[in-house]
Amino acid sequence: MAVLKHALIAAIYVLLACAVAVVLPHSAAQVSMPQAAIAGGLVFVVGALIHHAVFRAERERAIVDRLTVFARAFERLQDEFSDVRAEVIRCRRDLDESQIDKTAQDIAAVRSEMDMLQSLVGRLTKRAPATVGADFDEPLPTRPANPSPTLPLFPKVADLSETEILDAVRDALRRDQVDLWVQPIVSLPQRKIRYYECYSRIRTGLDSMLVPEQFLGVSAREGLIGAIDNLLLFRCVQLVRRANARRHNVGFFCNISANTLSDRVFFADFSEFVAANAELAPKLVFEFSQDDVENRWEEVAPYLMRLARLGFTFSLDRVTRFDLDIEQLTRRHFRFVKLDVAALLDRARERPETVQALKRSLDRAGIDLIVEKIEDEAQLIEALDYQIDFGQGYLFGGPQKSRDS
């Protein structure tokens, strides 16, 4: 369109120049043909100059318009860059604040753990000082009642006096030589590991250990059994926190014995410690024996109900009587019941209908049945006739030392 316009303008002043050169000699007798040609040439030159000026003005105007567009675009880019920079600064500030918050949370967690350890150490230092014994660097099971026969068997330490046993246990506690061991609990029939049960264990440097019958009595009299149990509880919480950080989709069972339940001062401290780690609730299950639940529940119910309100659940362990009050267990936030495979199969052979009725009641209440101490396939096949939910025992794996202990 612009080219056509400029061609039209050029044609006008060319025609005008030609007209002057042709018409002027005939209209003015005194003007000769050469003078008319010169006049026509002047008209052409003037027209060309005017055409060039108009073309240049239009071109400059187009350039100015384009520069104006570029300037506005540049201003928009500057505004957007300023917005992006402000967002980056805000994100960096938020990130710094989140890191500070995380650091504060970590510090709070460490502080609570240190308070817990201080409580444990205080309980030990209140006892008579222990003499330095052998270098014990291996673990032993600490569940004070009905020690599980599924735990690995190690050579028994030679007969020791009560004083020597007491010194050995104290020495292991003082030297932090009580390690955390875990045993898998698998879903059935898939045999997929869903939980681990935690144990404390102490073995001697000679690859032997103190067996429960050696230290239970004297340790109970000196108040050390509770300290061992409490250390297990503390380390379970540490283990669950590390598993959560690594996004391991498993839970952990931690046994709470009668010794711990009877120590109301420490149990109150422990409930405070666990409450400060409420985010661990979905992965941590506390176990209580049937006798303790029936005989000591009222003493510790306020603490346990506080944990239940935070989302923690409980497991009924060492069940010897099948006439369970399922409704009461549900109200008390029990979500698991553990049965010994031998007890289950003995009852099933005598009165299979009672086992079936128990399983139906548990299912209605949303309580899972765990059968423990399963040692061979024959026991498992027979137990699976009763649709058990989980299994535990050497058939699925024995206790192993936790890499995080």
Side-chain angles (χ1 to χ4, degrees):
M1 190 70 179
V3 175
L4 182 60
K5 180 179 70 174
H6 288 292
L8 181 60
I9 294 173
I12 291 173
Y13 63 77
V14 169
L15 291 175
L16 182 59
C18 292
V20 169
V22 174
V23 173
L24 191 58
H26 299 288
S27 60
Q30 69 275 17
V31 178
S32 63
M33 292 293 293
Q35 291 174 333
I38 292 173
L42 290 174
V43 171
F44 175 78
V45 171
V46 172
L49 290 174
I50 295 173
H51 185 193
H52 178 70
V54 171
F55 174 76
R56 184 172 180 178
E58 289 183 352
R59 188 175 180 182
E60 289 177 352
R61 187 165 55 252
I63 291 173
V64 170
D65 291 342
R66 183 171 294 182
L67 288 175
T68 302
V69 172
F70 287 159
R72 291 173 180 172
F74 181 71
E75 289 176 357
R76 287 197 301 270
L77 288 175
Q78 278 188 318
D79 292 339
E80 292 176 1
F81 178 76
S82 299
D83 293 340
V84 171
R85 183 177 182 182
E87 183 69 17
V88 170
I89 294 174
R90 186 186 65 79
C91 291
R92 182 178 297 174
R93 184 174 61 251
D94 292 344
L95 180 60
D96 291 341
E97 290 175 356
S98 66
Q99 289 176 340
I100 292 173
D101 291 341
K102 185 177 185 302
T103 301
Q105 292 172 359
D106 293 341
I107 292 174
V110 171
R111 183 181 294 115
S112 64
E113 291 177 4
M114 292 301 296
D115 291 342
M116 190 71 176
L117 283 176
Q118 185 177 11
S119 176
L120 286 174
V121 172
R123 291 166 58 81
L124 294 177
T125 55
K126 290 178 182 178
R127 309 297 175 184
T131 60
V132 178
D135 182 17
F136 295 92
D137 59 2
E138 300 289 350
L140 103 155
T142 63
R143 292 173 61 174
N146 190 23
S148 172
T150 64
L151 298 178
L153 299 178
F154 298 99
K156 178 180 177 180
V157 173
D159 290 338
L160 301 174
S161 67
E162 286 193 357
T163 301
E164 291 172 325
I165 292 173
L166 184 60
D167 289 345
V169 174
R170 282 175 171 163
D171 195 53
L173 289 168
R174 290 171 54 242
R175 293 173 180 266
D176 193 24
Q177 293 170 345
V178 181
D179 295 327
L180 184 68
W181 284 51
V182 294
Q183 184 178 22
I185 299 174
V186 303
S187 60
L188 295 173
Q190 301 88 357
R191 304 193 187 192
K192 181 176 179 60
I193 296 177
R194 300 294 187 182
Y195 300 93
Y196 287 96
E197 182 166 3
C198 300
Y199 304 95
S200 288
R201 309 180 72 189
I202 305 171
R203 289 192 298 159
T204 69
L206 300 176
D207 209 21
S208 58
M209 75 174 186
L210 293 173
V211 295
E213 56 266 27
Q214 288 180 292
F215 70 84
L216 279 181
V218 61
S219 297
R221 286 194 298 273
E222 293 296 322
L224 294 181
I225 291 296
I228 296 174
D229 288 343
N230 295 335
L231 185 59
L232 171 64
L233 295 174
F234 168 70
R235 286 186 169 168
C236 281
V237 171
Q238 289 183 311
L239 180 60
V240 177
R241 182 185 293 119
R242 285 190 286 266
N244 271 357
R246 297 170 185 171
R247 301 186 184 278
H248 292 170
N249 190 26
V250 293
F252 296 87
F253 280 64
C254 185
N255 184 271
I256 298 180
S257 72
N259 299 281
T260 302
L261 290 176
S262 62
D263 189 342
R264 298 182 62 180
V265 174
F266 180 86
F267 197 72
D269 292 340
F270 178 76
S271 66
E272 292 287 342
F273 173 69
V274 174
N277 295 272
E279 72 279 2
L280 308 181
K283 300 294 181 66
L284 185 57
V285 180
F286 295 114
E287 282 191 322
F288 304 91
S289 72
Q290 186 179 36
D291 285 339
D292 290 341
V293 169
E294 293 179 355
N295 299 326
R296 299 175 182 265
W297 181 262
E298 298 304 325
E299 302 174 26
V300 296
Y303 309 119
L304 296 183
M305 288 303 96
R306 180 186 180 190
L307 298 183
R309 287 191 295 271
L310 293 172
F312 290 94
T313 55
F314 310 128
S315 172
L316 189 67
D317 192 16
R318 296 194 288 276
V319 175
T320 58
R321 296 174 298 281
F322 280 66
D323 54 338
L324 300 177
D325 188 339
I326 305 299
E327 292 185 2
Q328 186 181 70
L329 290 177
T330 302
R331 289 194 303 271
R332 293 176 174 179
H333 297 271
F334 280 82
R335 296 295 178 263
F336 300 90
V337 167
K338 267 191 176 184
L339 290 176
D340 185 292
V341 67
L344 174 72
L345 296 182
D346 288 345
R347 174 60 66 92
R349 292 170 188 139
E350 296 175 0
R351 300 179 57 189
E353 70 280 359
T354 60
V355 177
Q356 295 168 348
L358 174 63
K359 185 60 173 65
R360 287 194 298 269
S361 299
L362 293 174
D363 289 342
R364 285 193 298 269
I367 298 176
D368 290 324
L369 177 61
I370 302 174
V371 176
E372 60 179 346
K373 302 177 186 177
I374 300 177
E375 311 297 331
D376 54 51
E377 294 287 347
Q379 288 179 322
L380 175 61
I381 292 173
E382 191 172 355
L384 283 176
D385 290 338
Y386 299 94
Q387 292 79 46
I388 61 177
D389 302 296
F390 296 93
Q392 181 180 2
Y394 262 115
L395 180 62
F396 314 112
Q400 295 182 356
K401 183 179 178 181
S402 169
R403 292 189 295 268
D404 294 318
S405 65

